Amino acid sequence: MFISKTAYHYYLDVYRDSAVTRYDTHKKSELRNVYNSMVKVNKDSPLYKLRNDVNIPKFLIDIKENARQAKNVISSLSDSTDGLESSFQKKVAVSSDDGIVSASYIGSNQDDISHEYEIEVLQLAAPQSNLGNFLDSRTSDFEPGDYAFDLITTTNSYEFQFTVNSEDTNRSIQEKLARLFNTSGVGVSAEIIMDEKNRSSLKLTSKQTGLSDSKSSLFDIKPKASSQSIEAMELLGIDQITSPAQNSAFILNGTEHSSYSNTFTLNKEFELTLHGISPEDTTTRIGFKTSVDSVADNLQELVDSYNGFIQTGERYSGSQQGNRLLHDFKNVSYTYRNNLESIGLMIGNNGHISVDRNLLADAVETKDFRKSFSILNSFKNALAAKADIVSVDPIRYVDKTIVTYKQPGVSHFPSPYHNSLYSGMMLDHIC
């Protein structure tokens, strides 16, 4: 048993920048329920092996991420306890100019809030950057040997060590250091910059933005005391700040404010993200969408999470696992097809759902609107149940070789091996 490097690389390449929401955190009781569900599923499962196929870990990661996103959307629509229709009438924030400021509502849906804000962005928050010296990328200015320097951030200090070999070039040394920074998790990213003379430079950028008044920098780089390390740092030049960190600055309802980040919360109601500088004497209005627009936007999120499963199934449609996934999730929508299409959720022949906003508006603005919301909630609950199954037991969709069945009618102990499988990341490649 081992964790496939391919799976890790695929996850980091495809899902590294996935947004994390408050629904990705769980109470102990919720985690216990997930574990108990895994144990229940595997107690009577047969022993089997999986094929040595690089597409299997990718498929498992895809459908588990689909399940996570669907469950987060469904959780956000289930916060309200004020009746069926309230979950789909969750408040949706709107910005008059998303290119300058985007907004999302993070308050409680029960709050009777109708605040509006006017914001003018004067300055965006920026990270600190250190751009090193440009060196001939094909030759080496460094003597072979061992070098070291310290990276000092606002909270920690780290020691970096690297070795220069006789065959190294300036470019390969800079690339070696870039890998060190990018894999160390110290809050500083690195990249190689080229100029028109084919010279390369190492650029360091803090992942954090903004700077408090008590700090002069977000990070400092200092060579070790040896003359060799000092000379190497002089050659690299990455200890010099070329672009200092700065805070965002904006005028909110006539009062000037600042923030360390371009994303911040406003009175526990809105989460705002600044994207650009406002034109002179121009403000962006932050408020709420109308009721029908809120329903349509919340429903679109639910539809998108459903369509995500269909798209994943289509990507793997040449395999048994993709066809099983398509069959399972098409059944979710086809079960409610007539009712869903009557309120504006149009189901295509390929299983994809699109939202007809005019039909939806007619459905939610009639006297019988509670029936429409009842249909939507039935579909939401069916999708939630299916997402739970996928999350706990993704291996059910994978083509596998059955080695032996457990004896029916006999109480079996849970198998840790199967628990690992049902978490979707551990694969047996010894087939």
Side-chain angles (χ1 to χ4, degrees):
M1 296 287 295
F2 65 93
I3 299 178
S4 169
K5 289 183 179 179
T6 301
Y8 273 134
H9 292 159
Y10 180 75
Y11 179 80
L12 291 174
D13 288 344
V14 179
Y15 295 105
R16 175 171 51 192
D17 297 326
S18 296
V20 177
T21 72
R22 61 190 175 101
Y23 302 104
D24 287 303
T25 60
H26 303 280
K27 301 175 183 176
K28 288 182 179 179
S29 58
E30 293 172 324
L31 296 175
R32 191 180 300 113
N33 288 338
V34 171
Y35 174 79
N36 289 338
S37 297
M38 291 165 57
V39 170
K40 183 178 179 181
V41 166
N42 82 63
K43 280 184 68 174
D44 295 314
S45 294
L47 176 65
Y48 53 77
K49 287 187 176 182
L50 304 177
R51 292 181 291 106
N52 187 1
D53 185 347
V54 295
N55 285 322
I56 290 177
K58 293 179 181 179
F59 173 75
L60 294 173
I61 290 170
D62 285 341
I63 62 174
K64 283 181 72 67
E65 280 297 304
N66 287 152
R68 181 183 72 85
Q69 292 166 12
K71 291 173 71 173
N72 285 351
V73 169
I74 291 165
S75 295
S76 73
L77 292 174
S78 303
D79 281 345
S80 175
T81 57
D82 292 341
L84 292 173
E85 66 275 11
S86 293
S87 66
F88 284 97
Q89 289 178 308
K90 184 167 67 78
K91 291 182 176 70
V92 175
V94 63
S95 166
S96 62
D97 190 343
D98 283 324
I100 301 297
V101 186
S102 60
S104 61
Y105 179 64
I106 59 172
S108 169
N109 201 45
Q110 291 94 336
D111 295 341
D112 185 18
I113 295 173
S114 58
H115 295 161
E116 288 194 352
Y117 299 90
E118 300 282 340
I119 183 170
E120 181 181 355
V121 182
L122 306 177
Q123 175 177 286
L124 294 179
Q128 174 184 327
S129 292
N130 290 20
L131 181 62
N133 298 323
F134 282 93
L135 306 175
D136 189 326
S137 60
R138 293 160 296 189
T139 62
S140 176
D141 295 312
F142 299 83
E143 291 292 331
D146 297 324
Y147 299 87
F149 61 88
D150 291 327
L151 170 70
I152 304 166
T153 69
T154 56
T155 56
N156 288 295
S157 178
Y158 307 90
E159 180 179 314
F160 283 77
Q161 298 177 349
F162 65 101
T163 300
V164 173
N165 301 312
S166 57
E167 66 273 14
D168 276 328
T169 63
N170 292 327
R171 173 67 183 263
S172 68
I173 295 167
Q174 291 165 336
E175 289 175 342
K176 189 181 301 184
L177 287 171
R179 287 193 296 272
L180 275 175
F181 280 103
N182 291 332
T183 59
S184 60
V186 296
V188 176
S189 62
E191 62 179 321
I192 304 298
I193 305 295
M194 302 294 296
D195 68 4
E196 66 281 355
K197 297 180 180 179
N198 198 33
R199 297 181 304 175
S200 56
S201 170
L202 181 62
K203 181 180 181 181
L204 306 180
T205 305
S206 65
K207 295 183 179 179
Q208 181 182 340
T209 59
L211 191 65
S212 68
D213 293 336
S214 61
K215 301 290 183 181
S216 59
S217 64
L218 291 178
F219 67 88
D220 290 300
I221 294 180
K222 300 190 179 299
K224 288 298 187 180
S226 70
S227 59
Q228 201 170 17
S229 291
I230 293 173
E231 290 174 4
M233 187 56 62
E234 289 177 351
L235 281 171
L236 288 168
I238 56 175
D239 56 337
Q240 301 299 315
I241 299 176
T242 52
S243 179
Q246 66 180 23
N247 300 333
S248 62
F250 52 92
I251 298 174
L252 183 67
N253 286 355
T255 304
E256 188 166 344
H257 299 269
S258 67
S259 171
Y260 295 147
S261 170
N262 288 316
T263 298
F264 52 90
T265 60
L266 184 57
N267 292 340
K268 298 182 179 180
E269 298 175 70
F270 297 100
E271 181 179 85
L272 303 185
T273 300
L274 311 182
H275 300 287
I277 307 298
S278 300
E280 189 174 356
D281 297 326
T282 301
T283 60
T284 300
R285 191 183 74 258
I286 305 298
F288 293 104
K289 291 193 174 182
T290 64
S291 179
V292 170
D293 285 337
S294 294
V295 173
D297 282 3
N298 288 315
L299 186 55
Q300 187 65 57
E301 287 190 37
L302 185 68
V303 166
D304 288 344
S305 67
Y306 163 84
N307 286 339
F309 285 106
I310 300 298
Q311 290 162 1
T312 297
E314 289 174 340
R315 283 202 303 276
Y316 297 91
S317 58
S319 63
Q320 191 170 354
Q321 59 234 30
N323 294 333
R324 284 177 180 168
L325 185 71
L326 283 172
H327 179 269
D328 248 20
F329 278 85
K330 284 181 180 180
N331 279 345
V332 173
S333 60
Y334 288 167
T335 300
Y336 301 96
R337 183 166 194 160
N338 291 336
N339 287 331
L340 289 176
E341 292 191 342
S342 70
I343 60 174
L345 271 69
M346 315 310 294
I347 302 172
N349 293 331
N350 58 1
H352 285 261
I353 298 178
S354 60
V355 180
D356 185 321
R357 294 203 170 206
N358 292 327
L359 281 177
L360 179 64
D362 291 340
V364 299
E365 290 181 334
T366 62
K367 292 181 179 180
D368 199 20
F369 67 92
R370 290 184 183 275
K371 180 180 178 182
S372 300
F373 285 117
S374 179
I375 295 169
L376 294 177
N377 275 277
S378 295
F379 172 65
K380 179 191 74 173
N381 294 337
L383 181 59
K386 190 64 68 176
D388 280 336
I389 292 172
V390 170
S391 181
V392 171
D393 184 11
I395 306 294
R396 66 185 284 129
Y397 295 101
V398 176
D399 187 19
K400 46 195 174 286
T401 301
I402 303 298
V403 177
T404 181
Y405 284 98
K406 294 181 180 178
Q407 184 178 351
V410 177
S411 179
H412 301 290
F413 292 105
S415 165
Y417 173 81
H418 280 92
N419 277 349
S420 296
L421 278 173
Y422 289 123
S423 70
M425 298 295 102
M426 301 284 283
L427 301 176
D428 182 2
H429 279 213
I430 306 174
C431 301

